[in-house]
Amino acid sequence: DQGDRFSLMKIENDLMSIVSSYPITGTTNGVWFSPEGKYIAVVNSGGTPQVTLLKRNGDSLELASSYNLGGNGGRRVTMTPDGKLIIVTVDNNPRLKIFKRNGDLMTLVSETELDSNSYGVAVSPDGRYLVCTQNTTTFLLFRLIGATVHLSDSITLPNNTGRGVAFSPDGRNILV
């Protein structure tokens, strides 16, 4: 039994194929490529809840570093446009965890406590803002300064909790 696995797939001639996989315990909740495509951040819950940084060498994947998130683990992961920061939303003990990536190494540099379980997270294309959804109707806008976040604004969503979030390419609009 190989257990749960994270898979890297390739598209060729309109067909997908799995070219590599890596064992991940629990459920993979979020994945993100670094801007140059050399690193992949994976966040999971259950099993050993962690954020894993994988190094891609062609079609093969190898462990670069990992960090145990504890509790129920992480929900989503993203990176800043320069790929130097990895941001994870963490469930149960709700918070944003920010890791600095220096090549193969990933180091926790800041944590921000949230009021409710967090889900979606996105960074603006210019790297100035970070948005986060929660398990409430409150939607948060943070200013990203270095490796720390400062709450800029919050808004109450009209109907339901938001899970997915994205910035427009110019960074002036947000979808939730």
Side-chain angles (χ1 to χ4, degrees):
D1 179 32
Q2 294 183 2
D4 295 324
R5 302 186 72 76
F6 165 80
S7 295
L8 172 65
M9 294 186 273
K10 189 178 273 188
I11 301 171
E12 289 182 316
N13 301 318
D14 295 335
L15 300 172
M16 293 184 297
S17 62
I18 296 174
V19 295
S20 186
S21 62
Y22 191 86
I24 299 287
T25 62
T27 302
T28 299
N29 289 326
V31 294
W32 201 264
F33 276 105
S34 64
E36 77 283 1
K38 186 175 180 179
Y39 293 92
I40 299 167
V42 181
V43 67
N44 71 294
S45 61
T48 304
Q50 60 190 13
V51 57
T52 303
L53 183 64
L54 300 173
K55 186 175 184 178
R56 184 177 171 202
N57 186 4
D59 288 341
S60 66
L61 299 171
E62 60 187 53
L63 178 65
S65 59
S66 65
Y67 182 91
N68 189 330
L69 297 169
N72 281 351
R75 287 289 170 200
R76 301 291 184 266
V77 63
T78 191
M79 288 187 193
T80 52
D82 62 8
K84 292 181 180 177
L85 297 178
I86 299 168
I87 299 110
V88 176
T89 57
V90 178
D91 215 359
N92 264 12
N93 187 8
R95 58 193 61 241
L96 288 170
K97 290 187 182 242
I98 300 179
F99 299 85
K100 185 173 186 177
R101 182 182 69 85
N102 186 5
D104 289 359
L105 300 176
M106 178 178 59
T107 307
L108 179 66
V109 291
S110 72
E111 292 187 57
T112 300
E113 191 170 334
L114 301 171
D115 294 333
S116 179
N117 289 346
S118 54
Y119 291 98
V121 63
V123 176
S124 62
D126 63 5
R128 291 178 56 200
Y129 294 103
L130 181 144
V131 289
C132 177
T133 64
Q134 299 184 96
N135 195 27
T136 66
T137 56
T138 304
F139 182 68
L140 305 172
L141 172 69
F142 293 94
R143 180 80 164 92
L144 189 57
I145 301 172
T148 61
V149 292
H150 302 277
L151 184 63
S152 290
D153 197 12
S154 66
I155 193 168
T156 300
L157 299 173
N159 293 317
N160 206 339
T161 60
R163 299 285 173 108
V165 62
F167 276 94
S168 61
D170 67 1
R172 297 186 60 181
N173 296 283
I174 304 165
L175 295 173
V176 60

